Amino acid sequence: MNRQSTRAFAAGLLTASAALLIYSQTADEPNSGTDAMKTALEQQKFTVLTQSEAAQQKTKIAELESEVDRLQKQLESNSTKTPEASDETKPKAKKADSKSLTLTISPGMPSSEIGEALEKAGMINSAQQFNDYLTENGYAAKLQVGTHEIHSTMSLKEMAIILTSR
């Protein structure tokens, strides 16, 4: 190494040291520790739970899910006892007043739009009720693209089955 390259190397070290000194003086200190992480998450609107709190939440969720299942079974058993009161089996109109509709479902068409079309045509009483029925019973995700024949005497369940089959 000659004298000039040694000076250039020393100048580079001096410049790098000065840059590190300036950076360390102006940069925020990294957050360390559990409390600092918790505070940072809470400032970003996250909820932080301990493992025991999370376990309690999971237990509560499981209890609520089992309660929902129990209530659904109870509702299903009640609807099978009195089918004339059920929306699934109750005809929408008398046979003499029966209406027919050819409904075309296009790709990406939401179930709410289908319900509105059925309500406009007088096939159902409430588009919202029909949409809720499709969603709650898993039919909304299974709607099939194409043309479907719907009759006003069909129950909500029968309409849902027609709309979800090819």
Side-chain angles (χ1 to χ4, degrees), residues 50-63:
T50 63
Q51 285 184 340
S52 63
E53 291 171 331
Q56 288 173 349
Q57 291 287 327
K58 287 179 183 178
T59 304
K60 185 68 173 174
I61 289 170
E63 290 171 2

Side-chain angles (χ1 to χ4, degrees), residues 27-41 43-44:
D28 292 336
E29 289 187 32
N31 291 335
S32 60
T34 307
D35 291 335
M37 287 188 285
K38 184 177 178 181
T39 303
L41 288 170
Q43 287 174 347
Q44 295 178 9

Side-chain angles (χ1 to χ4, degrees), residues 7-23:
R7 284 183 183 164
F9 183 71
L13 286 176
L14 182 62
T15 304
S17 298
L20 284 173
L21 178 65
I22 291 170
Y23 176 77

Side-chain angles (χ1 to χ4, degrees), residues 5 11 19 56 65 71 83 125 133-134 150 160 166:
S5 59
Q56 288 173 349
E65 286 174 344
L71 291 172
N125 297 328
Y133 178 80
L134 291 178
I150 304 294
R166 291 194 183 250

Side-chain angles (χ1 to χ4, degrees), residues 101-163:
L101 172 71
T102 301
L103 179 68
T104 302
I105 299 177
S106 56
M109 189 174 192
S111 60
S112 59
E113 197 172 308
I114 294 167
E116 290 170 5
L118 291 172
E119 184 179 19
K120 252 185 209 175
M123 305 301 278
I124 58 174
N125 297 328
S126 168
Q128 181 63 44
Q129 182 183 13
F130 181 72
N131 188 41
D132 291 345
Y133 178 80
L134 291 178
T135 305
E136 290 169 5
N137 294 291
Y139 292 112
K142 299 176 185 175
L143 294 170
Q144 295 293 315
V145 173
T147 304
H148 306 278
E149 189 72 27
I150 304 294
H151 302 282
S152 60
T153 57
M154 292 179 168
S155 66
L156 295 181
K157 183 176 184 177
E158 290 170 328
M159 288 182 190
I161 290 170
I162 295 291
L163 296 174

Side-chain angles (χ1 to χ4, degrees), residues 78-99:
N78 288 345
S79 67
T80 57
K81 289 177 186 174
T82 57
E84 59 278 349
S86 172
D87 285 334
E88 294 181 10
T89 57
K90 183 177 173 184
K92 300 296 175 242
K94 295 178 182 173
K95 292 274 184 191
D97 298 338
S98 178
K99 296 179 187 176

